[in-house]
Amino acid sequence: MGRVALTVNDLDRVADFYERAVGLHRLRRDGETAQLGAGNTVLLELRRDASARRRSPREAGLFHTAFLLPARADLGRWLMHAAQERVPLVGASDHAVSEALYLTDPEGNGIEIYADRPRDSWTWHDGLVHMSTEALDLPDLAASAGQGRWTGFPEGARVGHVHLQVGAIGPAEEFYTGTLGFDITARYPGGSFFAADGYHHHLATNIWNSRGAGPRSYPSTGLAEVEIRQRSPATPPRTELADPWGTAIALIGEAVTSG
C-alpha cells in the first residue's frame, strides 16, 4: 500500500491532530496540502478544500486508514501516549492476526493503529485466514512498551491496509479481485477482505454503514485517493482507476531490478 490522500475542510486542525495525537511526522507543508509520514516516506496527504461538503458516514468512501507499526512494543508505546495525551479511542480489538486501536480524526475519518502478530501464528483454511474481533488485553499491551517512550511513528511504519465503505459486496468483490487482482482472504457478515502475497488484508470493503450507497458526489471531504504499489516490469508508472462508487485508486508502478 502507498499513501492515502484525504480532502479536509480545516487543514490546520486535521494536520495538527495527525501530528500530535496520531504521531505522524510532518514531511512537507504548504497552504493547500500537508504530507505526513514516517522516516522519509509519505503515508498520508491532506488536501484543503474549505468549501467541500462534509461527507456523511452513510456514504461510500473511507471506513478507516490502518497504520501498521513495526512491532508490538511500538503499539504499546502508542497506547501509553494516547493515555497521557487523552487521545479518545473508539475501539480496541484483538483480531487474532493483529492487535488494533481505533480513533477518529476531527472530520470523522476513521483511523486504525495496529501491530501484526507473527505470521506463523496466523491460521489459514482453504485460502482464508482466521480473523476475529475479541477484547484487547490493554494492560498487557501497555506492558509491552517497556521503558521506551513514544516519539512519533518509527522508521518502517506504513499504511498496512485501507478499509472502505461500499454500497454492495458483490460489485466490490468483482472490482477488487477481478479488476485489481487481489485474493479474497476473509469474509465477515457484510464485509470482504482482500490481499496479495499471503497477507491477511491490504484492502477491505463493508456495507455496515453504507448498504445501498450510490456513487460518491464530489467535491466532498473524506477519502480522495488510495495508492497501491506494484512491482512489475510491465506496470506503467501511474494508472488511475475508480471503484464502482467513485473512490479513486492509483496504481503506482515500481521498477523491478534483476540481481
Side-chain angles (χ1 to χ4, degrees):
M1 302 301 294
R3 64 105 173 93
V4 170
L6 304 177
T7 299
V8 300
N9 291 145
D10 190 334
L11 180 61
D12 293 337
R13 184 184 182 204
V14 178
D16 177 72
F17 179 84
Y18 279 98
E19 287 185 75
R20 176 188 55 80
V22 176
L24 294 175
H25 303 283
R26 183 185 300 195
L27 301 180
R28 285 174 285 280
R29 173 71 189 269
D30 58 32
E32 299 303 318
T33 63
Q35 294 183 331
L36 305 104
N40 295 317
T41 303
V42 176
L43 304 182
L44 181 71
E45 180 175 294
L46 303 176
R47 303 173 179 174
R48 184 202 306 270
D49 187 342
S51 63
R53 68 176 182 84
R54 186 64 63 89
R55 171 183 170 262
S56 164
R58 308 290 296 179
E59 296 179 39
L62 185 68
F63 188 62
H64 60 240
T65 303
F67 298 103
L68 174 62
L69 296 175
R72 188 173 191 251
D74 297 316
L75 188 63
R77 293 181 191 117
W78 189 89
L79 177 61
M80 297 298 293
H81 154 77
Q84 291 163 4
E85 296 295 322
R86 298 186 178 181
V87 177
L89 298 182
V90 298
S93 298
D94 184 337
H95 292 305
V97 295
S98 63
E99 296 174 285
L101 301 166
Y102 297 92
L103 60 160
T104 304
D105 79 14
E107 296 194 2
N109 298 294
I111 302 164
E112 176 181 341
I113 301 175
Y114 76 111
D116 279 333
R117 295 191 184 280
R119 283 196 180 215
D120 59 11
S121 71
W122 303 354
T123 301
W124 294 82
H125 182 69
D126 292 337
L128 301 179
V129 66
H130 170 70
M131 292 194 292
S132 60
T133 301
E134 307 294 341
L136 184 59
D137 188 339
L138 292 174
D140 187 66
L141 178 59
S144 74
Q147 300 301 312
R149 294 182 62 254
W150 177 253
T151 57
F153 268 46
E155 187 87 31
R158 62 185 188 271
V159 176
H161 64 269
V162 178
H163 199 144
L164 302 172
Q165 296 189 170
V166 297
I169 292 299
E173 291 189 350
E174 291 175 11
F175 178 81
Y176 287 102
T177 62
T179 302
L180 293 188
F182 284 96
D183 298 319
I184 294 177
T185 54
R187 286 188 172 98
Y188 277 29
S192 294
F193 297 75
F194 311 91
D197 302 325
Y199 194 54
H200 52 73
H201 68 297
H202 291 108
L203 289 161
T205 57
N206 75 65
I207 56 172
W208 302 328
N209 300 320
S210 55
R211 182 187 298 270
R216 298 177 61 191
S217 175
Y218 296 100
S220 73
T221 62
L223 185 60
E225 185 180 71
V226 176
E227 282 186 352
I228 298 172
R229 299 190 173 276
Q230 297 179 310
R231 290 190 177 95
S232 169
T235 302
R238 181 181 175 91
T239 303
E240 297 182 356
L241 304 171
D243 79 2
W245 298 272
T247 293
I249 307 292
L251 304 180
I252 308 299
E254 295 184 341
V256 177
T257 58
S258 58

